[in-house]
Amino acid sequence: QVQLVESGGGLVQPGESLRLSCAASGRIFSINDMGWYRQAPGKQRELVARISSGGSTNYADSVKGRFTISRDNSKNTVYLQMNSLKPEDTAVYYCNADAADHRRVYVNYWGQGTQVTVSS
């Protein structure tokens, strides 16, 4: 089993920044893509950004130019730097990873989520 633990959420004002972190732990053999999704009240969960093990990235149009995803493979950790936050960015943010544990079977894992609230 692989566990994903997010941190870094909170309450900020519009225009401010936050940095989310997600650390994978367990008997990890390998991690392929990692990413961030979000779910606002009454809405479906949506992709925010994803990054491959080689560093290729893709972003939702709504966050391009404001958010940056990165990862530290030595720490099995993915980050989401969120700048120029808007009220519409308010949501629970979930970490996601395609990871294999010691059995070398890839499974899609989710973190427990961290709340981001953007409000004046």
Side-chain angles (χ1 to χ4, degrees), residues 18-87:
L18 274 177
R19 188 191 194 209
L20 305 183
S21 300
C22 171
S25 63
R27 298 177 65 182
I28 298 171
F29 167 70
S30 177
I31 303 177
N32 286 339
D33 287 7
M34 303 184 80
W36 291 95
Y37 291 72
R38 67 186 181 187
Q39 188 167 19
K43 295 187 177 181
Q44 289 189 329
R45 192 172 297 188
E46 63 176 3
L47 171 70
V48 176
R50 285 190 71 83
I51 184 168
S52 71
S53 57
S56 297
T57 60
N58 65 288
Y59 295 90
D61 288 343
S62 59
V63 306
K64 284 181 180 177
R66 299 188 297 122
F67 291 10
T68 302
I69 189 170
S70 61
R71 64 191 284 174
D72 185 336
N73 291 330
S74 68
K75 297 181 179 179
N76 293 325
T77 299
V78 63
Y79 306 96
L80 186 68
Q81 178 66 43
M82 305 185 292
N83 298 330
S84 303
L85 282 161
K86 304 176 181 180

